[in-house]
Amino acid sequence: VLVGALWRTMMMARQLVLVVLLAVWVVHADAATWADVDALLKNQVDTHAFPAVVAAVGNANGIFYVNAFGNFTYGLPSPVTNSNPPAQIDSLFDMASLTKVLVTTTAVMALYQQGLIRMDTLLCDASLLGPAFANNGKQTITVENLMLHNAGFPPDPDPEFWSPGFGCPATSTRDVPEVFTCQSRIYQAVMNLKLDNPVGEVYVYSDLSMITMMYVVGKIAQTHNLVQDADLLPACVKGSQRFGSSSTADAPELSQCYYEAYVRTVIVPTLKLQDFFGFLPDQKDWARCVPTWNDTDGSAPGPGYRNRVIQGQVSDQNAYALGGIAGHAGLFTTVTAASSLTHRLLFAAADDPFINASTVKYFTTIKNVTQSSRALGWDTNNYAMNDYRGCGNFSEPTFMHTGYTGTMVCADPVHQIYTVLLTNRVYPQASDESENRIHNARQLFQNLVLELMTPPQDSAPAAAHK
């Protein structure tokens, strides 16, 4: 009897082991792989969510996955090369609103850590934009209000800087050039802005907040000699109608030029950003810039403003009217450089003299959960307040941002991973359908990556490829 009972017990145990092994085999047979990420992105290209995509995934060790799919257009030749080249890892993308975080917010982080800017400083303080800014109820606006998008500004200028009603000199020509001749007029328009809402009380995502921050960063860079006059782009300096005195302090609109110079001569080399990361790519590099929209008719944002397919120049019309340098848009870069910066922030060292872990935490933590999902400059993936959730099921503390052209960055401090997804979803036009498709593509991509990067504890991470 004892032997029989023992035999039955052994057989049951054996059957249980077989069942467990079969279950594990089924789970792993159905588990996602990085080939599924490739297939997902290819499918999005094939179904015309976007013509071109370059994506990267990284962890503490750096880029873990990177690949490119599609072509610059859906078949028509790109205007610069008169051909339709494939997307490449080193393709340059118009990053649109990722400029707000990768450039402007990064600059503010660095200045904050150096003690050169405080979030509670009034913009009308003499050290920033001065008393002339304190009109139309703006006297209580702080740096923090701009960074949180609750300064009371409208979403966009009214009239838009690019519109004929605003009166930029270049707008009078049919094929509007990307020049700085409207520099003074736009600066004065920002200084004279009127509010739509009481300061600090309402969240309204506003390009004007980061355009204003551009002038703040530039003013600080100039005042503290972080860049020299010789570092300024000559074309930017010549744009000022009042330049010509012995001091650029007589032309405050040139803060735009100091902002760009600070990014180019301080941010980029300090963070060791390889390849191109900046504004106004050289015309010789336009051929590797992915085209954006066809700005020839009413189907494009800003119908017929430039009367051509945009390639190599910023698509955002207000940034274009500013000459291609702006705090809210205008950055061109590659997936590699964007990944490098995102990695530097997500895995910042506690003793980093430029931007340390404490500074990153301060700028990327949600500030007022009753008002919005925003941190300082960055957005977060807060499940309650972020109803877009482009980072999908990444953790709530994930700091992230999207760009209108179809770009996106997600950095997850809980799962210790980041993604950079670059597309030109606005080609040939930025329609509602295009917006819906990119939203779906973003969530599918992020959730699949999360599945691959956070496998069950009893199994090894899935292998990626580059």
Side-chain angles (χ1 to χ4, degrees):
V1 175
L2 180 61
V3 173
L6 182 60
W7 174 255
R8 287 193 296 271
T9 301
M10 291 174 61
M11 290 301 293
M12 291 175 63
R14 181 183 179 189
Q15 290 173 352
L16 179 60
V17 170
L18 288 173
V19 169
V20 171
L21 288 174
L22 179 61
V24 171
W25 180 85
V26 169
V27 168
H28 283 275
D30 292 339
T33 68
W34 290 97
D36 293 316
V37 177
D38 290 349
L40 169 66
L41 296 176
K42 288 177 183 176
N43 178 259
Q44 295 298 315
V45 170
D46 291 342
T47 57
H48 287 196
F50 35 73
V53 57
V54 182
V57 181
N59 56 20
N61 296 322
I63 292 178
F64 195 76
Y65 165 95
V66 63
N67 220 334
F69 301 99
N71 293 76
F72 278 22
T73 76
Y74 290 123
L76 294 175
S78 299
V80 173
T81 61
N82 199 34
S83 63
N84 186 21
Q88 304 280 0
I89 302 302
D90 67 347
S91 293
L92 286 168
F93 282 80
D94 177 341
M95 302 295 278
S97 285
L98 286 189
T99 306
K100 294 180 173 77
V101 289
L102 297 183
V103 180
T104 306
T105 301
T106 299
V108 177
M109 285 179 170
L111 297 174
Y112 170 83
Q113 184 162 312
Q114 294 175 63
L116 299 179
I117 191 170
R118 292 171 52 96
M119 293 301 105
D120 60 358
T121 302
L122 296 171
L123 262 66
C124 62
D125 188 270
S127 65
L128 299 184
L129 300 186
F133 184 78
N135 56 40
N136 298 321
K138 301 196 299 297
Q139 66 274 9
T140 61
I141 295 178
T142 64
V143 172
E144 181 174 283
N145 293 135
L146 294 184
M147 300 298 287
L148 291 175
H149 295 273
N150 66 7
F153 290 159
D156 301 293
D158 185 16
E160 303 266 13
F161 300 151
W162 59 268
S163 67
F166 184 76
C168 284
T171 310
S172 61
T173 62
R174 183 182 184 279
D175 299 315
V176 180
E178 189 179 40
V179 291
F180 294 95
T181 54
C182 206
Q183 199 174 54
S184 299
R185 185 183 292 268
I186 291 175
Y187 179 81
Q188 288 305 314
V190 170
M191 295 294 286
N192 294 325
L193 281 170
K194 296 180 180 179
L195 303 182
D196 275 2
N197 294 291
V199 176
E201 294 189 14
V202 181
Y203 163 72
V204 175
Y205 180 69
S206 175
D207 285 354
L208 288 164
S209 288
M210 287 302 176
I211 292 173
T212 307
M213 278 307 305
M214 170 184 70
Y215 295 121
V216 171
V217 170
K219 174 66 180 294
I220 293 172
Q222 177 191 5
T223 301
H224 294 276
N225 297 313
L226 303 180
V227 296
Q228 305 302 313
D229 287 358
D231 296 325
L232 306 184
L233 292 179
C236 186
V237 172
K238 291 178 181 177
S240 174
Q241 296 176 0
R242 290 180 286 173
F243 188 76
S245 66
S246 59
S247 172
T248 54
D250 296 334
E253 60 269 31
L254 290 180
S255 295
Q256 175 192 21
C257 309
Y258 284 93
Y259 163 85
E260 186 280 333
Y262 179 69
V263 173
R264 174 170 39 84
T265 66
V266 179
I267 298 290
V268 171
T270 302
L271 297 181
K272 298 178 181 178
L273 301 178
Q274 302 298 315
D275 206 341
F276 186 82
F277 182 97
F279 301 95
L280 300 172
D282 192 283
Q283 195 163 351
K284 66 179 176 57
D285 291 322
W286 286 9
R288 66 185 181 111
C289 293
V290 178
T292 53
W293 60 70
N294 182 357
D295 193 7
T296 59
D297 56 41
S299 64
Y305 173 47
R306 291 156 291 197
N307 291 294
R308 62 183 181 276
V309 174
I310 307 303
Q311 184 179 13
Q313 296 173 293
V314 62
S315 57
D316 182 279
Q317 302 94 320
N318 290 320
Y320 190 91
L322 273 158
I325 298 169
H328 72 294
L331 171 66
F332 282 80
T333 194
T334 64
V335 74
T336 306
S339 296
S340 178
L341 175 52
T342 305
H343 180 277
R344 179 71 175 256
L345 297 178
L346 182 59
F347 301 104
D351 59 350
D352 191 315
F354 195 63
I355 299 176
N356 62 32
S358 178
T359 297
V360 173
K361 179 74 172 177
Y362 179 63
F363 275 82
T364 61
T365 300
I366 188 170
K367 192 71 176 180
N368 182 358
V369 73
T370 65
Q371 188 176 85
S372 77
S373 57
R374 306 296 297 202
L376 295 171
W378 286 92
D379 200 357
T380 73
N381 202 43
N382 182 272
Y383 296 166
M385 296 303 292
N386 189 331
D387 57 5
Y388 184 78
R389 293 280 299 280
C391 293
N393 294 328
F394 276 38
S395 72
E396 289 194 87
T398 294
F399 55 97
M400 48 80 65
H401 215 281
T402 61
Y404 186 77
T405 49
T407 56
M408 186 170 195
V409 166
C410 300
D412 189 333
V414 174
H415 296 111
Q416 297 281 284
I417 57 176
Y418 62 88
T419 62
V420 179
L421 182 66
L422 307 183
T423 82
N424 58 336
R425 70 97 186 170
V426 293
Y427 180 89
Q429 62 183 32
S431 63
D432 289 341
E433 180 183 3
S434 169
E435 178 60 40
N436 292 334
R437 285 175 178 268
I438 190 62
H439 185 206
N440 180 61
R442 283 166 170 162
Q443 291 191 324
L444 290 172
F445 171 74
Q446 309 297 351
N447 288 341
L448 183 53
V449 166
L450 185 63
E451 179 183 347
L452 286 161
M453 296 295 282
T454 55
Q457 293 183 0
D458 62 347
S459 63
H465 65 275
K466 295 183 181 180

